[in-house]
Amino acid sequence: MKKIRQWTVDWWLIGILILAAFLYAWNIWEAGNANDYYTAAITSMVQSWHNFWYGAFDPAGFITVDKPPVALLFMAISAKIFGVHGWSVVLPSILFGIGSVALIYNMIKPRFNAWAARLAALALILTPIVVADSRTNNMDATLQFFLLLASWCLMKAISTRKPWLVVVSFALIGVSFNIKMLQAFMILPALLLFYWIASNQKLWRRLTTLGIAAVAMAVTTLAWPMQVDSTAATQRPYVGSSETNSEMELAFGYNGTERLLGQTTGTGAAFPGMGHNAKSKTGGTPPTGTKGKTGTAPTGTKGKSGTPPTGATGKTGNPPGGKSTKGTSGQPGTGNTQGGTPPTGTKKQQVTVKTKKATGGKMPANFKKGNFKGGPGTGGGAPGGRKGGGGGGGAFAIGTAGPLRLLQSDLGLQISWLVPAALIGFISAFAYYLDRKRKWYQTTSQQNHLLFWMGWLVPVAGFFSIASFFHPYYMIMLAPPIAALFGIGIVTMFKQFKLGFKHWQSWLLPLAIVTTTALQAWYVSLYYQWQTWLVVGAGLIGLALLFIGRTRSWRKSALGVAIAAILVAPGFWSLTPTLAGSSAAIPSAGPSLLTSGGNSGGIGSGSVDSGLLKYVEKHQGSAKYLFATSNASTAAPYIIKSGKAVMAIGGFNGTDPAITLKQFKALVKKGDMKYYLSSGRSGNSKIESWVTKVGKKVSSNKYSSQSSSSTKSPGGMGMGGGMGGGTLYELDASMVK
């Protein structure tokens, strides 16, 4: 007689999933256009299968976005069902975020216990950057889900002895590559290590399985990029942010080696504030209202580190929601989802910084009172003038490269609240599950899983500790291993604590509470004053209750108090994007969102000059394009608003060699291009110069009276400084010689 499997409901898990749904989805109807760079692509993708397959930025299929389309496909399907709205394009990220919580629970429970799995799931959703990322239409929440799904398949393959699941696991890594390219391969060392030490297969079968899995991964990785690259350039869009119109070059260049070495293509130059090293002595003056000390500790220079915001000349930090002083000259804007407006010319020709527009925020009402100390410069409306403003401000506030970079204020506030407990928890759990009957190199099943999570954490942390070009919201890559080691470690540390203080393992739980509380107190002190002591007091109370407890039930209650004490601060940080209704192009979490607004309006201004739009629509005639402009930050809001083709001749930031002057003239001569909008951010200088020389300037009086206001996304200006208006030029065939 077969044993009937009984299903039980873990009500703790149900509660955790409900909490995740609340944090990720509440107020999402205030998302505006979310990240309008990708929302414009979704607007285009729902219009034709051609655009859907290639991930075209504009409805005419002229150029793609800077990532493969897998994550966008889910967003496009949602938009096709519900219509293109901020909440509908964010919905897949919300669902994938909730799915990630369920996956990490199911990965830990079978090998450890339910409480380890619950705590890991709770730690994941109380990681600030996880909440911020899961509320956007960026690709990061989707990538996290697929990487966890690949890992779950591998663990299932080992426990059930089904080699075909190994193949599925590595195939999913290939799918993940087509979400954010080489970033997906960062967990390959963990997968390979785990399979090698955990598999019971004989050597030759193990190698055969890995060989087949490698082939499957290669197929799912390369099938789409190779199809794109093998298609004639005239039959597909230009590959955005590439230099040679190639997906493979995009993968290994802009989305590959340049992430480590610093961006040199796609935006014209490396950005100030990207990957500054510990030897750098330059930095912006701390903003008004701070104590004049930088916040990039624990490593770096002594109170002078912190590269000024992009385009600044070292005269300013990035005051919370207020106006910073300006650079000497240049273009508006401080950044965007991929970088921001590049500096041009010599050091004396820097880009103008307009922090108030870039963040979309106002000066917090309680800032001058001394209660509030500013916020991280990580975009999304978050001002950048806390007590300590290291980093490049906004999109590039990534601290000082070094072994402790992830603990510094720029990145630590988003990811590292529970790192001490996680690392000490790994030591605890590895010792707890040690089988002394085995040889020293023989690991137990639980130790194999611990090594998997550490194998995920170490390479990823190592890369981000030295890399020069990334954004703080990429830290979601570290959230799963930190959460897993935290959940597992808390349980084993508690069991070891009961052994008595003659054993060294007994001191691991107090050590974890003390070090985690100390780090969190420093983080909180960057924003608040007396509230810091609440964090310290809560941690000490939890610790004291553990020591004075004599019964099992008392100690369990004391542990609950201690866990609550070290989760309350990151929990509050995680709540801020939800309360602010944040869905920013550069996601971040922190108290500054509550005063400055949660949405950045995407990569540009998130605004449309309604009068200009009505004018070009009325006079478009049979032209293929509504108008052309230099960059996607200007084009995106118009594509979303009108659903019509707007050509971003230089792609994302205006510098892609997507079209030549000769080709542009051919479009004008054919009648496909009738208008050009000069936004003040010229990337293709030859086309811009030709247009301004021969084009007929359209007086703003012809359309400005039609609308006295712009249609904006919540939160005002975003990263990139795109203009809602600009100078409109009319073009016709007679101008082409």
Side-chain angles (χ1 to χ4, degrees):
M1 183 177 179
K2 292 184 178 180
K3 184 178 179 181
I4 299 176
R5 183 176 181 180
Q6 294 182 345
W7 292 89
T8 58
V9 177
D10 188 336
W11 292 105
W12 285 97
L13 174 62
I14 298 300
I16 291 170
L17 292 174
I18 292 173
L19 176 61
F22 168 74
L23 289 174
Y24 301 163
W26 184 258
N27 266 346
I28 204 62
W29 47 86
E30 297 182 5
N33 288 336
N35 183 341
D36 55 16
Y37 179 52
Y38 297 127
T39 303
I42 295 163
T43 303
S44 304
M45 291 168 69
V46 298
Q47 295 187 24
S48 73
W49 285 108
H50 180 270
N51 292 347
F52 183 82
W53 176 255
Y54 289 108
F57 168 72
D58 58 282
F62 167 69
I63 197 168
T64 72
V65 292
D66 61 350
K67 299 293 188 297
V70 167
L72 292 172
L73 297 182
F74 293 102
M75 301 175 197
I77 292 170
S78 176
K80 191 68 175 179
I81 297 171
F82 301 109
V84 180
H85 310 287
W87 65 267
S88 66
V89 300
V90 172
L91 180 60
S93 293
I94 295 172
L95 297 177
F96 283 131
I98 296 171
S100 295
V101 177
L103 277 174
I104 200 168
Y105 173 90
N106 283 284
M107 292 167 71
I108 293 174
K109 182 182 176 181
R111 198 56 56 193
F112 298 96
N113 62 36
W115 273 110
R118 293 164 185 161
L119 288 173
L122 182 61
L124 183 66
I125 65 173
L126 295 185
T127 301
I129 198 58
V130 172
V131 178
D133 277 341
S134 298
R135 298 177 57 86
T136 74
N137 59 331
N138 289 353
M139 287 77 176
D140 300 84
T142 305
L143 177 65
Q144 176 187 246
F145 174 82
F146 274 91
L147 293 180
L148 283 170
L149 183 61
S151 303
W152 177 85
C153 285
L154 184 61
M155 292 182 179
K156 198 72 175 176
I158 298 299
S159 63
T160 60
R161 298 185 179 183
K162 294 179 179 178
W164 66 269
L165 277 174
V166 179
V167 178
V168 173
S169 173
F170 281 80
L172 285 170
I173 294 298
V175 175
S176 302
F177 174 89
N178 287 286
I179 296 174
K180 286 198 76 178
M181 294 191 157
L182 289 180
Q183 190 171 330
F185 288 172
M186 297 175 82
I187 73 163
L188 272 179
L191 295 175
L192 292 169
L193 172 67
F194 179 74
Y195 178 71
W196 194 256
I197 63 177
S199 175
N200 291 322
Q201 288 182 313
K202 292 182 179 180
L203 179 61
W204 69 270
R205 293 192 60 134
R206 201 179 308 179
L207 291 173
T208 301
T209 302
L210 278 179
I212 297 172
V215 171
M217 184 178 71
V219 170
T220 55
T221 296
L222 299 175
W224 184 82
M226 294 301 291
Q227 185 276 325
V228 174
D229 285 1
S230 62
T231 302
T234 56
Q235 301 299 314
R236 61 169 175 82
Y238 183 91
V239 177
S241 295
S242 73
E243 294 294 296
T244 60
N245 196 13
S246 165
E247 287 288 346
M248 295 305 295
E249 184 259 313
L250 177 68
F252 292 95
Y254 177 78
N255 286 322
T257 57
E258 292 178 20
R259 301 285 167 169
L260 176 65
L261 304 175
Q263 186 177 9
T264 57
T265 64
T267 57
F271 287 95
M274 279 191 335
H276 54 284
N277 56 44
K279 296 180 181 180
S280 176
K281 296 182 180 181
T282 61
T285 304
T288 305
T290 67
K291 294 184 179 182
K293 298 179 181 179
T294 58
T296 53
T299 63
T301 55
K302 298 180 180 180
K304 294 183 180 181
S305 65
T307 306
T310 304
T313 54
K315 296 181 180 180
T316 179
N318 200 7
K323 294 182 178 180
S324 66
T325 56
K326 299 180 180 180
T328 57
S329 65
Q331 304 164 15
T334 58
N336 46 46
T337 53
Q338 277 72 20
T341 307
T344 56
T346 63
K347 293 182 179 180
K348 294 182 180 180
Q349 296 173 317
Q350 296 294 328
V351 182
T352 302
V353 176
K354 296 183 179 181
T355 302
K356 183 174 182 179
K357 290 185 178 181
T359 59
K362 298 180 180 179
M363 183 74 75
N366 58 345
F367 180 82
K368 294 183 179 180
K369 295 179 182 179
N371 184 47
F372 189 92
K373 298 181 180 180
T378 52
R386 66 180 176 276
K387 183 177 67 177
F396 292 108
I398 57 176
T400 303
L404 297 181
R405 178 193 239 176
L406 300 181
L407 297 179
Q408 296 170 16
S409 60
D410 286 316
L411 300 180
L413 288 162
Q414 306 302 317
I415 188 64
S416 299
W417 296 83
L418 301 176
V419 164
L423 295 178
I424 297 172
F426 170 78
I427 297 172
S428 164
F430 201 83
Y432 182 82
Y433 290 108
L434 178 67
D435 186 350
R436 298 187 182 279
K437 296 179 181 180
R438 300 189 180 196
K439 296 180 179 180
W440 66 269
Y441 56 84
Q442 293 179 318
T443 53
T444 63
S445 176
Q446 291 88 349
Q447 287 177 321
N448 293 337
H449 281 73
L450 290 167
L451 288 173
F452 166 79
W453 292 114
M454 188 57 72
W456 181 329
L457 178 62
V458 172
V460 178
F463 175 84
F464 286 123
S465 294
I466 62 174
S468 298
F469 171 44
F470 64 92
H471 303 298
Y473 65 88
Y474 290 13
M475 294 300 99
I476 193 175
M477 284 288 294
L478 293 163
I482 292 173
L485 294 175
F486 171 81
I488 297 166
I490 287 292
V491 172
T492 58
M493 285 188 288
F494 180 68
K495 292 178 179 179
Q496 291 164 332
F497 183 76
K498 295 185 293 184
L499 295 175
F501 298 107
K502 294 181 180 180
H503 303 273
W504 65 270
Q505 298 99 319
S506 302
W507 293 98
L508 293 178
L509 181 59
L511 178 63
I513 294 173
V514 169
T515 54
T516 303
T517 299
L519 180 66
Q520 293 184 1
W522 176 60
Y523 287 159
V524 173
S525 73
L526 298 175
Y527 284 79
Y528 300 105
Q529 295 178 344
W530 62 268
Q531 291 90 337
T532 304
W533 297 106
L534 292 179
V535 176
V536 175
L540 292 177
I541 290 173
L543 186 63
L545 291 175
L546 282 170
F547 276 101
I548 65 176
R550 290 291 180 265
T551 65
R552 183 179 180 183
S553 60
W554 175 279
R555 286 191 171 182
K556 282 186 175 181
S557 300
L559 178 64
V561 173
I563 293 173
I566 59 178
L567 288 180
V568 65
F572 171 68
W573 249 253
S574 298
L575 183 62
T576 56
T578 306
L579 296 179
S582 174
S583 184
I586 306 294
S588 68
S592 52
L593 291 177
L594 303 179
T595 54
S596 65
N599 294 327
S600 68
I603 59 167
S605 65
S607 63
V608 170
D609 187 321
S610 299
L612 186 150
L613 177 59
K614 290 179 180 179
Y615 181 86
V616 293
E617 284 184 318
K618 180 180 179 181
H619 296 88
Q620 181 183 6
S622 60
K624 182 178 181 180
Y625 294 93
L626 196 60
F627 62 85
T629 190
S630 64
N631 57 83
S633 63
T634 303
Y638 286 94
I639 293 174
I640 299 168
K641 182 73 174 178
S642 68
K644 295 185 177 181
V646 177
M647 177 186 284
I649 62 172
F652 175 78
N653 206 58
T655 57
D656 293 350
I659 187 172
T660 64
L661 176 58
K662 181 179 180 180
Q663 292 169 329
F664 186 80
K665 287 181 178 180
L667 289 175
V668 175
K669 188 173 184 178
K670 188 179 178 182
D672 285 341
M673 187 68 66
K674 191 174 179 181
Y675 292 100
Y676 182 92
L677 179 61
S678 177
S679 64
R681 296 182 59 213
S682 174
N684 193 319
S685 57
K686 290 184 179 180
I687 293 178
E688 181 91 8
S689 299
W690 180 78
V691 168
T692 56
K693 180 180 179 181
V694 306
K696 179 182 178 182
K697 186 181 296 185
V698 179
S699 174
S700 60
N701 294 331
K702 292 186 177 182
Y703 55 80
S704 61
S705 60
Q706 299 179 31
S707 176
S708 58
S709 62
S710 297
T711 302
K712 295 185 178 182
S713 300
M717 287 286 289
M719 307 304 291
M723 303 291 290
T727 303
L728 185 66
Y729 291 88
E730 184 176 354
L731 305 169
D732 61 61
S734 64
M735 299 174 180
V736 181
K737 296 181 180 181

